[in-house]
């Protein structure tokens, strides 16, 4: 509508410039008014469209914010804090158990030392032909090379547990488990790929031959195909094709 009104006004103005005396001022003003009105209507439509778009964007923003809040509510900061506190309590319990174990080992050693139970002499080295030493499941003794007394338990000497090492081991367990799970997933993916490559060997030998050697060999191994025999036959076939060509 704007273009039509503007064209009509331009046509009237051009007729006036060309000397057409039949055009009246009222016609020019009327056309100019229609053009202005059409422009206002266009601006109104643009504003209305912009307002509707802004309402849509506002609704989308509110939806996104609500969904993000819902997602974040699945695991909250309080959950993290509680987990940290639980882990701290677990570590404290581990430390207490390690210290308690060291205490009972020390008490058991003192009790055995104060009793008629003979001490264990640890034998260092072994001469071929001689009988291996037999150690008790429970006892006490000192190292052959000297040093503090130790508790003999389950046929071997034991000393105090290393608290720091055990605490560090506990801290690294999650990472160790993650690594083990990742390796398991990698092995499963590798097994699936070998199975797929082996199926390709059976169904489409030409495509199989385009695979790199590090993929062909495991597939052939899974099928019981000797790699050396396969490569020799493959080279012979390539030579034969080269001669034919």
């Amino acid at each position: 509508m704007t273009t039509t009104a503007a064209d009509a006004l331009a046509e009237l103005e051009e007729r006036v410039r060309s000397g057409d005396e039949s055009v009246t001022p009222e016609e020019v003003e009327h056309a100019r008014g229609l053009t202005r009105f059409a422009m206002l209507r266009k601006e109104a439509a643009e504003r209305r469209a912009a307002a509707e778009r802004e309402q849509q964007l506002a609704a989308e923003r509110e939806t996104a914010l609500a969904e993000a809040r819902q997602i974040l509510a699945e695991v909250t900061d309080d959950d993290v804090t509680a987990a940290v506190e639980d882990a701290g309590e677990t570590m404290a319990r581990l430390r207490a158990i390690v210290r308690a174990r060291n205490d009972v080992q020390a008490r058991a050693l003192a009790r055995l030392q104060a009793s008629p139970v003979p001490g264990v002499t640890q034998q260092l080295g072994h001469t071929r032909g001689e009988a291996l030493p037999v150690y008790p499941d429970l006892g006490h003794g000192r190292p052959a090379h000297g040093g503090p007394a130790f508790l003999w338990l389950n046929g071997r000497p034991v000393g105090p547990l290393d608290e720091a090492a055990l605490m560090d081991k506990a801290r690294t367990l999650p990472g160790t488990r993650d690594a083990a799970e990742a390796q398991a997933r990698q092995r499963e993916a590798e097994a699936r790929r070998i199975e797929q490559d082996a199926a390709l060997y059976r169904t489409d030998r030409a495509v199989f031959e385009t695979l790199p050697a590090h993929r062909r060999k495991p597939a052939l191994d899974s099928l019981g195909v000797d790699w050396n025999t396969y490569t020799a036959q493959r080279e012979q076939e390539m030579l034969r094709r080269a001669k034919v060509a």
Side-chain angles (χ1 to χ4, degrees), residues 204-220:
D204 196 335
R205 187 70 60 85
V207 176
F208 177 82
E209 294 299 330
T210 64
L211 298 177
H214 72 270
R215 288 185 56 179
R216 284 183 282 121
K217 187 177 188 305
L220 293 175

Side-chain angles (χ1 to χ4, degrees), residues 26-77:
E26 290 77 10
E27 289 178 317
V28 174
E29 287 304 317
H30 179 69
R32 183 175 290 113
L34 290 176
T35 301
R36 176 61 179 166
F37 182 74
M39 292 179 62
L40 292 174
R41 292 292 298 273
K42 180 182 178 183
E43 291 178 1
E46 291 175 348
R47 290 185 181 182
R48 185 166 54 253
E52 291 175 354
R53 177 57 181 163
E54 178 55 34
Q55 289 179 355
Q56 180 182 355
L57 291 175
E60 291 177 0
R61 286 194 293 269
E62 288 302 319
T63 299
L65 289 170
E67 291 179 355
R69 292 189 183 96
Q70 185 176 3
I71 292 171
L72 289 171
E74 295 176 5
V75 182
T76 66
D77 288 337

Side-chain angles (χ1 to χ4, degrees), residues 110-226:
R111 179 67 184 89
L112 291 173
Q113 287 176 315
S115 74
V117 175
V120 176
T121 301
Q122 185 179 15
Q123 179 177 329
L124 297 179
H126 176 257
T127 302
R128 180 177 297 181
E130 293 183 357
L132 292 173
V134 178
Y135 297 118
D137 289 337
L138 178 62
H140 67 95
R142 292 183 180 276
H145 53 73
F150 56 80
L151 180 69
W152 200 274
L153 188 61
N154 298 324
R156 62 183 181 86
V158 296
L161 299 176
D162 189 333
E163 178 181 315
L166 291 172
M167 297 285 282
D168 287 340
K169 180 180 180 180
R171 293 187 187 96
T172 59
L173 277 178
T176 302
R177 290 173 181 171
D178 288 345
E181 290 175 358
Q183 292 175 355
R185 290 192 297 270
Q186 184 177 1
R187 288 193 297 269
E188 291 174 358
E190 178 67 16
R192 287 193 299 269
R193 192 184 71 178
I194 292 173
E195 183 177 354
Q196 292 169 356
D197 292 343
L200 190 62
Y201 174 81
R202 292 191 296 263
T203 59
D204 196 335
R205 187 70 60 85
V207 176
F208 177 82
E209 294 299 330
T210 64
L211 298 177
H214 72 270
R215 288 185 56 179
R216 284 183 282 121
K217 187 177 188 305
L220 293 175
D221 289 343
S222 71
L223 295 172
V225 178
D226 182 72

